[in-house]
Amino acid sequence: MTDRTEPAKAPPGQRRVLAALALAQFICSFAGSNMNVMINDISKDLDTTVQGVQVAITVFLLVMAALMIPGGKLTDRHGRKRCFVVGLVVYAVGALLSAAAPGLGVLILGNSILEGIGTALLIPPVYILTTLLHPDLTSRARAFGIIMALGGIGAAAGPLIGGLITTGISWRAAFVFQALVIAVIVWLSRRIEDPLPPDPTRSFDTGGAVLSATGLVLVVMGILAADNSIWLMIALIALGVLVLGWFFRSSRAKEQAGQEPLLSLSLFRNRTSNLGLVTQNVQWLLLMGTSFTVAAYLQVVRGYDAIRTGVVFTAATLGLLVTSLSAESLARRRSQRTLIMTGFACSVVGVAVLVGLVGSTSSAWAFVPGLLLIGLGLGVMLTPSVNVVQSAFPEERQGEISGLSRSVSNLGSSFGTAIAGTILVSGLSRGAYAAAMITLAVIGLGGLAAAALLPRGPGGPTPYDTPATAPGAHA
């Protein structure tokens, strides 16, 4: 009896490894949201504008989205632990460089480029290692539950933690905090052993990686350019679409020739998965678009400091955590389609409440009901959307579709900050705030329409869904 129950207890070494992986997800999720409450402090200290800080935040999310799939591919060639540790080191260098940044350019290099590259290298190994190191479903579910919790805390409480550090010390200290957490993760990761040896002979589609990254960067930069020149916006977006078209044609040609492209186009032949990817993209667009718009409005128009802004966002944090913790029980009682549609409806109503109440009163409490509804809605639908995508493919394709899923989610975050932020910074007034939020609501209705087209039925979780439910889908 003792021998049989012993494997159920994770040994100290394995717990330390899990702590390293969960902390890695925490700090990457934290980095994606904490800068929103530093807009005023950074723009004043670095003598830049709200639009400059918006670019830094957007480029960070975009670099993650553009490099997440290549990062996942590199783990097979160079090993999961090696990519994880290299990603941590690159991230730490970026965080320290950001802390010492004398101007916006260095901040973008440290935070947006280096931290973005580091995240794209270290996040795929988090999920691959957790899956390989926990072969039975029970221990794997428990491990991903811990990673999910840490990721949720990092993303949802990022504005509050960042606000506390910024107000108590400095916005630069928030980046030092990230570097210190990375140092702890590196120390904990000493005991990680890669279950599979790297395969240096594994092919890597360098051309595809360059084309996909270039196309995505051009499209998002085109959106950001809308405030400066409409013709520049059109030119950049058109060029980005052409480059992405070149990427897809190249990938199709490589597949037909029997080669391994960066992204297999057969992933897009599943209608259910495609609809699920659309809902994922729109969900993160809503989350990050709302976060940036409300945070910028509070600081620039209302004059709130970082900590007061972070406290306002506690409503969204609580809403998201409450429904996220109930995701498993909700999935047993309701279909994935129903949960996703309910989440979108709740979030769109939340955006409408934000516009209505904020326009009628100057009290900070006016933001609470809307943010709470948005948090509740997002918590209801984030996990089901990923489960819809993952369960549409067999086990041997889980790694490939997971990389695409995380990339699509991060791209949604980039679009949210770029689109809503561009509208907002074009004229920081109550009218611009309402226009940005209404735009997000309209896009949210598009997500609701996509969810309505999902197949009916129970659509409950499958054994393949566990790795995908963690917030690392956004990183």
Side-chain angles (χ1 to χ4, degrees):
M1 292 292 292
T2 304
D3 292 337
R4 293 190 179 199
T5 57
E6 199 66 35
K9 294 183 179 180
Q14 192 175 42
R15 289 199 294 268
R16 193 174 291 123
V17 169
L18 180 57
L21 300 177
L23 274 176
Q25 180 58 74
F26 165 82
I27 202 62
C28 292
S29 299
F30 172 85
S33 63
N34 83 110
M35 269 185 70
N36 288 335
V37 298
M38 306 175 189
I39 295 171
N40 263 356
D41 297 82
I42 293 177
S43 58
K44 290 177 182 176
D45 194 12
L46 300 185
D47 193 25
T48 184
T49 62
V50 174
Q51 188 178 26
V53 181
Q54 176 205 5
V55 169
I57 296 171
T58 303
V59 172
F60 168 70
L61 298 168
L62 177 58
V63 169
M64 283 196 296
L67 300 183
M68 195 67 76
I69 295 175
K73 290 282 189 178
L74 287 174
T75 60
D76 294 325
R77 185 182 178 98
H78 299 292
R80 283 130 296 268
K81 180 179 179 180
R82 182 178 299 173
C83 286
F84 182 67
V85 174
V86 169
L88 289 171
V89 172
V90 173
Y91 188 106
V93 171
L96 292 175
L97 190 62
S98 300
L104 182 63
V106 177
L107 179 66
I108 290 176
L109 174 62
N111 173 252
S112 309
I113 306 300
L114 292 181
E115 286 193 30
I117 292 172
T119 302
L121 284 173
L122 71 90
I123 284 297
V126 167
Y127 297 96
I128 298 171
L129 285 169
T130 303
T131 302
L132 295 176
L133 293 172
H134 299 84
D136 63 286
L137 291 177
T138 302
S139 66
R140 187 183 301 173
R142 188 182 305 117
F144 275 109
I146 294 171
I147 292 174
M148 182 191 310
L150 266 293
I153 292 171
L160 180 58
I161 297 172
L164 289 169
I165 296 174
T166 301
T167 303
I169 309 175
S170 163
W171 66 268
R172 298 178 185 274
F175 288 103
V176 176
F177 167 75
Q178 294 179 45
L180 290 175
V181 174
I182 292 294
V184 173
I185 298 171
V186 171
W187 181 76
L188 290 172
S189 64
R190 294 174 304 158
R191 292 182 177 269
I192 294 178
E193 294 183 6
D194 201 333
L196 295 176
D199 182 7
T201 63
R202 186 75 178 263
S203 63
F204 180 77
D205 185 6
T206 305
V210 172
L211 287 175
S212 63
T214 302
L216 291 174
V217 168
L218 287 170
V219 170
V220 176
M221 287 303 160
I223 297 172
L224 291 173
D227 185 42
N228 297 321
S229 170
I230 191 68
W231 293 112
L232 179 60
M233 179 197 76
I234 294 172
L236 288 173
I237 292 178
L239 185 58
V241 170
L242 288 175
V243 173
L244 288 175
W246 184 6
F247 163 69
F248 284 114
R249 288 192 62 183
S250 172
S251 298
R252 184 181 295 109
K254 288 172 183 174
E255 266 190 312
Q256 292 173 346
Q259 301 173 2
E260 184 179 357
L262 179 72
L263 182 65
S264 174
L265 299 188
S266 61
L267 292 174
F268 297 103
R269 293 174 190 157
N270 187 299
R271 180 175 179 272
T272 300
S273 171
N274 290 341
L275 290 169
L277 288 172
V278 171
T279 63
Q280 278 184 261
N281 183 274
V282 176
Q283 287 161 11
W284 286 102
L285 187 153
L286 274 174
L287 175 58
M288 296 307 294
T290 300
S291 178
F292 180 85
T293 303
V294 174
Y297 181 77
L298 285 172
Q299 294 170 86
V300 179
V301 178
R302 293 285 181 90
Y304 284 25
D305 59 17
I307 191 168
R308 288 184 69 193
T309 304
V311 169
V312 170
F313 275 96
T314 305
T317 302
L318 292 175
L320 196 148
L321 289 178
V322 166
T323 45
S324 292
L325 292 174
S326 307
E328 185 178 352
S329 60
L330 288 172
R332 286 196 295 264
R333 299 196 302 267
R334 297 288 184 270
S335 70
Q336 308 280 35
R337 176 179 178 272
T338 299
L339 292 175
I340 298 170
M341 290 183 66
T342 301
F344 272 118
C346 188
S347 297
V348 170
V349 170
V351 173
V353 170
L354 272 176
V355 175
L357 289 183
V358 172
S360 60
T361 176
S362 60
S363 171
W365 289 103
F367 292 89
V368 173
L371 288 174
L372 179 63
L373 285 170
I374 292 172
L376 289 169
L378 289 167
V380 166
M381 62 180 169
L382 285 176
T383 294
S385 279
V386 180
N387 283 342
V388 163
V389 174
Q390 296 294 134
S391 58
F393 293 90
E395 185 173 18
E396 60 269 17
R397 306 205 72 180
Q398 289 300 300
E400 197 174 8
I401 189 60
S402 293
L404 176 61
S405 174
R406 287 190 294 272
S407 182
V408 165
S409 297
N410 281 298
L411 189 59
S413 299
S414 301
F415 283 151
T417 306
I419 295 171
T422 298
I423 296 171
L424 184 68
V425 299
S426 63
L428 279 170
S429 64
R430 185 168 297 175
Y433 164 83
M437 297 303 293
I438 291 170
T439 301
L440 291 173
V442 171
I443 296 174
L445 290 174
L448 177 61
L453 295 175
L454 288 167
R456 299 174 183 271
T462 73
Y464 303 128
D465 295 331
T466 304
T469 58
H474 169 61

